[in-house]
Amino acid sequence: MFLNCHSFHSLRYGTLSIEELVEQAAVLGLKELVLTDINTISGIYEFKKKCEEKNIKPIAGIEVRRGNELLYITIAKEFQGIGEVNRVLTSYNCDGIDLPAQPDFPNCFVIYPLSNIPAQLHENEYIGIREEELNSLFRKEYQALIAKMVILQPVTFTTKKEFNLHRILRAIDNNMLLSKLPKSEICSKSEYLRSEQSLLEAYQHYPQIIANTKNILSVCQFEFAFTTRRNKRHYKGSKEHDINKLTALAYAGLERRYGKDHAIAKQRVEKELQVIDELNFSGYFLITWDIIRYSNSMGFMHVGRGSGANSIVAYCLGITDICPLELDLYFERFLNLNRKSPPDFDIDWSWQERDMILKYIFDRYGKNHVAFCGTNVEFKYRSIIREMGKVFGLPKEELDELTKNPEKVFKDQVVQKVQEYGKLLEKFPNQRSMHACGIIISEEPLTNFTVLEMPPKGFPIVQWDMHVAEDIGFDKFDILSQRGLGTINDTVKLLEEKRGIKVNIRDTTLSKDEALCNEFLSRGKTIGCFYIESPAMRGLLRRLKCDNYKVLVAASSIIRPGVAQSGMMREYIFRHNNPDQFEYFHPIFEEQLGDTYGIMVYQEDVIKIALHYGGVSAADGDILRRAMSGKGRSRKALQKVKDDFFESCRQQGHPEELSTEIYRQIESFAGYSFCKAHSASYAVESYQSLYLKLYYPLEFMVSVINNMGGFYRTEVYIHEARMSGAKILNPCVNRSEQQTTIYGDEVYLGFMHLEKVEAKLGRLIPEERIRNGEYRSLEDFIKRIPIGIETLQILIFIGAFRFSGVPKNELLLKSRVLLGDFKPGRRAETLFEEPVKHFKFPELKRNIFEDAFDEIEILSFPVSCTPFDLLQTKYRGTVMAKDLIQHHKKEVKMLAYLISRKHVPTKRGIMYFGTWVDNNGDYFDTAHFPDCLERYPFQGGGCYLLLGTVEVDFHFPTITITKMAKMPFIPDPRYSHDEEKKYEAQERMREDVSMTFRAPYPQEHEIGLPRMKTLKE
């Protein structure tokens, strides 16, 4: 009897999850249920599964609205009918085609509200009559329509509290106070789930209406095969043609990669092709190859990673640059007969080129067959508190206090309501968004399965997330972007443009395991390099003395939270440095994990131990794989794996204590680990960037700056360029471009770094200079460039007219005289058509540090000097960073400039790891424990005096801080007569702060695996 049920997928309207809706229907003994969310099918697939679990017949439909106006409710007679409605809503969402007043949906029943009855009803069309509208049927105009009426009992909530929640959602959606929300924006108070008997009693005098309703429920079916794979099946039109094409490409690539007579490689190719064919994945490989082929034809650089990089076929096709034989990559991690979905190919392009790749995919495979995966952006408690506060009309002060302390107990009843309903909304879907990288390429038109939406990015999205996509048979292609590849690409282009040097950086043999690269790796000299520049990674490289490709591959995975959370990162470091001072705690660990000293480092290692030590089935191993990849959602399935693991361990006679510790480590990997091929792909790119940094440091750092860096702020990369021999110069209208550029060893900062200079103007200045020659003076510049007084003054303050030899003070006065209230649009009317008048300006002297303070105000860091030069003190510390390793366990006093700090949770409270440079420009690291931070907290960017004890941990020194104090700058000479502003500039100095929200890592005494074997079989 319930033809119009809403779930919380009716965004900012419904209040029930699919599970709650079906559960309540089951409690009431309902045998059929119709889900008709507003303009969406997001929940229908989960709805079908949940209904069938409760022996309820699921029926799917969509409630169609224009804004908040209900047009009609559609109920699919069969699954094909959903596609009919999907296509109309897709045209509305993506093409702006208005919704039809009376649609043609032959495979649907269409139910109109009493307020929107068409002139002529078709056979499949009905009028929905609510219980409260039954009295209207005494009216003559409606009596003739009773034969075309059905029961309309919408479901939006079940309790009074949920009705209030619905009202709050509508107020949030309309951005208005709850008290001002009109009744037209909310549902009727009768829209709740009730017993079928009570509903039939209400309509007992209208048997025809009851019969019509029952007929719809009887006729409609929702048949859907979840096991059918729905991606585009074939690249060449048939399975046979696909495997033939794939085989030809694989063998051509085999010869190119390995030569003609590599028996082991050939055997691996044959084995993979056989499994690929058996699992019907040839089309998936060929489509991926086709995308790479296009990329190569455009001269783009890509990185293929993910589990697909375990494949030698992928290596031969050029999808990846990872040789699986070199690293003994685990074939079953990539493909096995238990696996229903194809392997992951996560393919990265430069952030500047990714949109062109996406355009090719959409054009090549058709807009009806390609879309981005969607995501449900959920309400988060802290963010919803602010939204809720607005709805309830809380004053800003109370709202700020509540947002900062959402769990605090407040006496105010309104605030208590905000907290109460805020918690109810947590995890509700709030809006649909685009998946960061997941593309679906389907065999059938996607509108057979979903409505498409068009977000601002300009590519259509489906209405379900990656989990639902996989449930219903779609596997995504991950098309990603990153700045690391942009940096590598731009460096290569810059070298050819500026120096005529061509570097074939795609040839991985050029950079991988290169001798100088290995030396710098082991010293952690990697700032600016992809994935290996963070303080934690540089410290790990030094602790491991990482001097080759395979160790870097391991390090790329060890740094992930999975290994660290298991507590085994430190153990790996110890065993790597002391390979003769430990024992394998079980023979299987030596046999399976010998390369990593018996420690689980990669996802494959976890599967190996689960299979060979734990004795779990291959199917259970696949569940673990999905959990580690962040794809598994079923807690029940994971619990079953855990139960099977311990039962099998007991049957094999393994010690309970050892098995418990091993499974603790296995669990720590969930969602936070790399497969080995993924780590290897990252390591190759790290080598490519490090090679360019070492041999072409200035061009490389300029490219890092132009790609907006990585882990650090721009200032740090400018410092790196200076340390590599660059002369760093402020923007100049006659030398600079929108981006930073280089002439020999002179690096001119780009206009992009001037926050108040628009990008359009930053591009126009060099374009005009190229067309009509260099700017001769400030007057000439103003005449040629449409610019306002404020922007012009920014350019003057940063020194962009220093070529003229005119002091800044005079330039500023001139700009005001020449422009005044001048508007760029009135350029033709200005005095510039007349001879320029010459004025005599008073001579003003400038302090040598005024430029530095101008730079801090505009850029947030000085360029013409270092931060140390601006300190009041001349003290520079007793020890320099380069000598710290010689001061183990000794107290040192240092003066340093703060680069970054990382927030880390511990059981004693929050601590920080700091990264600094000394007066020589060298980096070093500090540790700040909670008790010290209470007395000596960080006070923002700038220079600090540090006192602490040096701890050298496996070749890597860290200072444990006991005291620190921020050191004052000299007074700002620009404000020598303004006491308040004298010290403002120092507050603009920045720091990089990275936050970590995770459980504290276990301490050594909390890890149950002994270094020397004590637990005997």
Side-chain angles (χ1 to χ4, degrees):
M1 297 295 109
F2 297 90
L3 304 181
N4 184 208
C5 296
H6 303 116
S7 75
F8 63 15
H9 290 292
S10 293
L11 300 179
R12 300 185 179 185
Y13 195 97
T15 64
L16 301 169
S17 69
I18 297 292
E19 189 168 1
E20 288 168 338
L21 175 65
V22 174
E23 185 64 42
Q24 290 179 26
V27 169
L28 290 169
L30 301 183
K31 298 301 178 186
E32 308 96 358
L33 202 62
V34 187
L35 181 68
T36 53
D37 275 318
I38 298 169
N39 291 4
T40 183
I41 52 75
S42 295
I44 65 170
Y45 301 105
E46 181 189 0
F47 175 72
K48 176 175 171 61
K49 287 187 172 184
K50 295 295 183 186
C51 280
E52 289 173 349
E53 287 174 8
K54 299 292 184 181
N55 294 315
I56 297 173
K57 178 183 177 181
I59 299 170
I62 302 175
E63 181 178 305
V64 178
R65 293 190 178 219
R66 184 191 295 114
N68 195 43
E69 178 192 4
L70 171 60
L71 300 183
Y72 35 80
I73 298 152
T74 64
I75 301 174
K77 298 177 184 177
E78 55 192 27
F79 187 70
Q80 185 180 348
I82 288 291
E84 294 172 353
V85 190
N86 287 344
R87 280 181 273 284
V88 167
L89 284 168
T90 296
S91 297
Y92 176 64
N93 292 336
C94 300
D95 304 318
I97 298 172
D98 199 12
L99 295 168
Q102 190 169 11
D104 180 20
F105 296 151
N107 290 293
C108 291
F109 290 107
V110 180
I111 301 171
Y112 295 92
L114 206 57
S115 59
N116 187 35
I117 305 173
Q120 185 72 39
L121 287 171
H122 299 140
E123 184 182 350
N124 64 327
E125 296 180 324
Y126 291 87
I127 301 162
I129 186 82
R130 295 171 181 253
E131 182 182 352
E132 57 264 34
E133 296 170 334
L134 285 173
N135 288 337
S136 303
L137 299 189
F138 291 107
R139 292 165 58 180
K140 187 177 179 181
E141 65 266 30
Y142 290 142
Q143 287 180 3
L145 297 173
I146 289 176
K148 292 291 288 181
M149 288 185 178
V150 294
I151 297 172
L152 184 57
Q153 173 60 42
V155 176
T156 304
F157 61 93
T158 54
T159 65
K160 184 179 178 181
K161 183 173 280 190
E162 285 169 357
F163 176 67
N164 289 335
L165 189 61
H166 162 77
R167 293 177 61 240
I168 290 166
L169 285 167
R170 300 306 302 136
I172 290 171
D173 193 45
N174 285 278
N175 193 26
M176 62 171 58
L177 289 170
L178 194 58
S179 58
K180 302 286 186 183
L181 189 67
K183 284 189 176 180
S184 60
E185 285 293 331
I186 61 177
C187 74
S188 165
K189 289 184 178 180
S190 65
E191 292 190 15
Y192 57 87
L193 210 54
R194 54 198 274 199
S195 73
E196 189 171 308
Q197 185 59 38
S198 70
L199 202 55
L200 291 173
E201 286 174 3
Y203 288 82
Q204 61 184 317
H205 299 299
Y206 299 97
Q208 184 64 56
I209 293 177
I210 293 173
N212 289 344
T213 307
K214 287 183 174 180
N215 180 61
I216 289 176
L217 293 172
S218 172
V219 168
C220 293
Q221 304 290 329
F222 183 5
E223 299 295 334
F224 186 82
F226 284 92
T227 55
T228 302
R229 308 316 298 169
R230 304 185 190 279
N231 280 69
K232 183 172 175 60
R233 295 191 191 99
H234 306 299
Y235 177 75
K236 297 288 287 182
S238 72
K239 178 178 179 178
E240 183 182 358
H241 288 142
D242 277 1
I243 191 61
N244 289 341
K245 176 70 172 175
L246 184 62
T247 301
L249 290 170
Y251 278 101
L254 176 66
E255 185 172 330
R256 186 174 64 254
R257 294 285 201 184
Y258 294 100
K260 291 186 177 181
D261 302 310
H262 200 300
I264 296 174
K266 184 179 179 184
Q267 185 180 3
R268 171 82 174 242
V269 167
E270 289 170 352
K271 179 183 177 184
E272 284 193 20
L273 286 171
Q274 183 181 346
V275 177
I276 291 167
D277 186 35
E278 194 169 342
L279 292 173
N280 297 315
F281 292 159
S282 299
Y284 178 85
F285 271 79
L286 287 171
I287 290 169
T288 307
W289 164 79
D290 174 62
I291 296 167
I292 298 303
R293 178 180 62 171
Y294 170 76
S295 172
N296 291 338
S297 73
M298 296 295 290
F300 299 160
M301 187 175 174
H302 77 276
V303 171
R305 51 187 177 85
S307 69
N310 283 47
S311 164
I312 196 169
V313 170
Y315 181 55
C316 291
L317 265 58
I319 296 171
T320 75
D321 282 315
I322 304 303
C323 171
L325 302 182
E326 180 185 8
L327 293 172
D328 190 25
L329 295 180
Y330 193 40
F331 175 69
E332 284 71 19
R333 170 63 180 84
F334 147 67
L335 273 184
N336 64 73
L337 296 177
N338 290 296
R339 184 170 187 159
K340 298 180 179 69
S341 60
D344 296 327
F345 284 123
D346 300 339
I347 306 177
D348 289 318
W349 278 272
S350 164
W351 62 284
Q352 300 152 321
E353 295 163 352
R354 177 185 182 237
D355 280 358
M356 294 178 70
I357 296 294
L358 292 175
K359 185 177 185 304
Y360 171 76
I361 295 170
F362 277 85
D363 292 347
R364 172 76 171 79
Y365 296 100
K367 68 173 186 176
N368 294 327
H369 296 264
V370 186
F372 265 91
C373 217
T375 60
N376 280 322
V377 180
E378 297 176 339
F379 282 113
K380 301 291 193 297
Y381 182 54
R382 282 180 177 271
S383 59
I384 192 57
I385 284 293
R386 186 165 288 278
E387 290 291 333
M388 296 275 289
K390 290 181 194 173
V391 164
F392 279 93
L394 286 183
K396 184 178 182 302
E397 298 75 24
E398 288 185 35
L399 199 51
D400 290 342
E401 174 67 16
L402 182 56
T403 306
K404 288 176 186 174
N405 303 288
E407 302 295 339
K408 182 179 173 181
V409 177
F410 290 85
K411 292 181 181 179
D412 189 295
Q413 288 188 341
V414 175
V415 175
Q416 289 175 8
K417 288 285 184 190
V418 169
Q419 291 176 310
E420 177 185 0
Y421 284 101
K423 285 182 178 174
L424 287 178
L425 272 184
E426 201 168 8
K427 300 294 183 183
F428 264 48
N430 179 24
Q431 57 189 16
R432 271 181 295 278
S433 185
M434 177 187 282
H435 188 278
C437 58
I439 297 282
I440 290 170
I441 304 176
S442 69
E443 180 71 19
E444 301 176 45
L446 277 166
T447 48
N448 287 358
F449 309 97
T450 180
V451 178
L452 299 179
E453 298 180 356
M454 187 66 75
K457 181 73 175 173
F459 295 107
I461 64 170
V462 299
Q463 288 186 326
W464 15 259
D465 63 20
M466 59 180 276
H467 300 293
V468 175
E470 196 164 337
D471 278 348
I472 66 177
F474 287 104
D475 302 297
K476 60 186 174 63
F477 294 78
D478 286 329
I479 309 297
L480 303 105
S481 67
Q482 49 151 285
R483 298 189 183 275
L485 280 174
T487 295
I488 292 170
N489 263 333
D490 287 355
T491 304
V492 170
K493 291 174 185 174
L494 199 58
L495 282 168
E496 187 166 2
E497 175 194 340
K498 297 290 186 179
R499 297 171 60 184
I501 297 173
K502 292 186 178 183
V503 178
N504 182 15
I505 200 64
R506 293 190 194 191
D507 179 3
T508 58
T509 61
L510 185 70
S511 56
K512 191 175 78 175
D513 258 343
E514 195 271 343
L516 190 59
C517 287
N518 285 337
E519 181 192 334
F520 273 66
L521 263 181
S522 67
R523 292 162 53 197
K525 299 281 188 179
T526 54
I527 285 183
C529 298
F530 174 75
Y531 197 66
I532 55 172
E533 66 164 339
S534 71
M537 190 63 175
R538 290 187 298 108
L540 178 60
L541 294 174
R542 289 178 67 178
R543 288 181 174 98
L544 293 174
K545 283 195 173 177
C546 176
D547 62 356
N548 64 76
Y549 171 56
K550 290 188 177 181
V551 175
L552 180 57
V553 172
S556 297
S557 188
I558 291 166
I559 199 71
R560 297 286 294 167
V563 183
Q565 194 70 54
S566 74
M568 297 309 284
M569 178 167 71
R570 283 203 57 77
E571 185 63 17
Y572 184 95
I573 295 167
F574 175 86
R575 295 185 180 197
H576 180 76
N577 282 280
N578 304 282
D580 57 348
Q581 294 182 32
F582 73 92
E583 296 176 1
Y584 292 95
F585 32 79
H586 193 280
I588 286 173
F589 281 75
E590 182 172 11
E591 175 190 322
Q592 296 293 331
L593 307 181
D595 286 350
T596 55
Y597 314 110
I599 290 172
M600 290 180 284
V601 170
Y602 310 108
Q603 291 178 2
E604 293 93 328
D605 297 343
V606 175
I607 296 170
K608 286 176 184 177
I609 294 305
L611 294 177
H612 297 286
Y613 175 87
V616 303
S617 66
D620 280 352
D622 203 54
I623 291 171
L624 276 177
R625 171 192 68 79
R626 292 167 56 74
M628 288 185 292
S629 303
K631 294 179 180 175
R633 293 191 296 172
S634 172
R635 291 185 180 179
K636 290 179 183 176
L638 274 174
Q639 184 60 47
K640 181 182 179 299
V641 173
K642 184 174 184 177
D643 294 342
D644 290 349
F645 176 88
F646 281 107
E647 179 58 32
S648 177
C649 287
R650 280 190 288 272
Q651 289 176 8
Q652 295 176 75
H654 295 324
E656 186 79 15
E657 186 182 349
L658 182 60
S659 299
T660 300
E661 171 57 28
I662 289 169
Y663 202 82
R664 182 193 69 79
Q665 291 188 30
I666 287 173
E667 284 185 315
S668 74
F669 275 70
Y672 296 106
S673 58
F674 282 170
C675 65
K676 192 173 184 179
H678 195 99
S679 293
S681 299
Y682 270 15
V684 167
E685 186 178 345
S686 297
Y687 264 112
Q688 288 171 320
S689 55
L690 182 56
Y691 178 88
L692 293 172
K693 174 183 168 74
L694 297 186
Y695 288 96
Y696 311 103
L698 303 192
E699 290 79 7
F700 178 78
M701 293 317 303
V702 165
S703 298
V704 172
I705 292 165
N706 286 336
N707 280 274
M708 288 166 278
F711 187 88
Y712 305 96
R713 61 191 182 276
T714 298
E715 177 189 1
V716 179
Y717 301 113
I718 289 171
H719 170 73
E720 278 290 293
R722 184 182 280 117
M723 293 293 286
S724 298
K727 296 172 186 171
I728 307 298
L729 300 164
N730 281 319
C732 169
V733 296
N734 275 338
R735 300 291 276 170
S736 291
E737 299 173 10
Q738 169 64 2
Q739 292 191 321
T740 296
T741 192
I742 183 170
Y743 304 92
D745 62 354
E746 294 184 337
V747 172
Y748 280 84
L749 298 182
F751 299 117
M752 64 185 281
H753 302 297
L754 307 180
E755 189 178 330
K756 294 183 180 177
V757 175
E758 293 182 2
K760 183 178 177 182
L761 180 65
R763 290 189 291 270
L764 177 62
I765 292 171
E767 286 169 4
E768 165 62 22
R769 186 177 71 224
I770 291 168
R771 279 195 303 267
N772 296 308
E774 291 190 352
Y775 303 101
R776 298 185 300 278
S777 62
L778 177 67
E779 293 86 345
D780 182 44
F781 178 83
I782 294 172
K783 186 174 182 180
R784 292 161 61 181
I785 297 293
I787 191 170
I789 184 68
E790 288 184 11
T791 308
L792 181 61
Q793 287 181 350
I794 292 291
L795 292 175
I796 292 170
F797 276 123
I798 204 64
F801 296 95
R802 58 188 179 277
F803 69 90
S804 67
V806 180
K808 282 186 187 180
N809 313 52
E810 188 172 326
L811 288 170
L812 287 167
L813 290 170
K814 270 189 179 182
S815 69
R816 289 167 189 153
V817 170
L818 292 171
L819 283 183
D821 295 326
F822 168 76
K823 300 288 186 289
R826 298 176 53 215
R827 186 160 303 278
E829 305 170 24
T830 68
L831 54 80
F832 294 120
E833 300 306 315
E834 304 171 6
V836 176
K837 296 177 181 176
H838 292 282
F839 298 91
K840 182 166 179 63
F841 294 96
E843 188 175 334
L844 299 171
K845 292 184 178 180
R846 280 177 65 85
N847 183 288
I848 58 170
F849 287 123
E850 282 192 48
D851 285 346
F853 281 97
D854 283 343
E855 291 153 8
I856 292 172
E857 190 164 320
I858 295 169
L859 300 170
S860 299
F861 58 89
V863 174
S864 54
C865 68
T866 75
F868 296 96
D869 297 328
L870 299 176
L871 291 172
Q872 292 182 18
T873 180
K874 300 302 178 187
Y875 180 77
R876 295 297 180 261
T878 56
V879 176
M880 292 291 129
K882 63 183 176 60
D883 301 318
L884 282 176
I885 203 163
Q886 300 164 21
H887 289 73
H888 181 47
K889 297 293 184 184
K890 294 178 182 176
E891 188 175 74
V892 296
K893 188 187 289 186
M894 299 185 71
L895 193 131
Y897 180 61
L898 180 59
I899 298 296
S900 67
R901 56 186 167 107
K902 181 179 182 180
H903 158 287
V904 177
T906 74
K907 292 184 177 178
R908 291 192 293 159
I910 300 303
M911 70 171 291
Y912 280 94
F913 289 111
T915 299
W916 313 74
V917 291
D918 65 12
N919 188 48
N920 293 338
D922 295 323
Y923 298 89
F924 67 95
D925 294 83
T926 56
H928 305 251
F929 288 96
D931 54 349
C932 174
L933 285 169
E934 281 184 19
R935 289 172 292 152
Y936 305 105
F938 284 94
Q939 299 178 55
C943 294
Y944 287 73
L945 185 62
L946 306 171
L947 182 70
T949 303
V950 179
E951 303 284 345
V952 179
D953 179 45
F954 295 109
H955 335 292
F956 180 67
T958 301
I959 304 174
T960 300
I961 297 300
T962 52
K963 290 183 180 180
M964 73 173 180
K966 190 173 180 180
M967 305 304 285
F969 278 181
I970 58 172
D972 187 341
R974 301 172 306 164
Y975 299 108
S976 57
H977 302 295
D978 190 327
E979 290 299 322
E980 283 188 15
K981 290 191 174 183
K982 273 184 181 181
Y983 300 100
E984 275 187 6
Q986 184 168 357
E987 302 308 312
R988 303 180 72 89
M989 302 294 285
R990 292 183 184 170
E991 56 177 335
D992 293 318
V993 183
S994 55
M995 306 298 287
T996 308
F997 299 101
R998 56 161 172 77
Y1001 289 155
Q1003 299 300 303
E1004 198 165 332
H1005 67 275
E1006 297 174 302
I1007 299 167
L1009 283 181
R1011 189 165 288 157
M1012 293 299 178
K1013 185 163 57 178
T1014 58
L1015 295 167
K1016 303 296 182 184
E1017 286 289 308

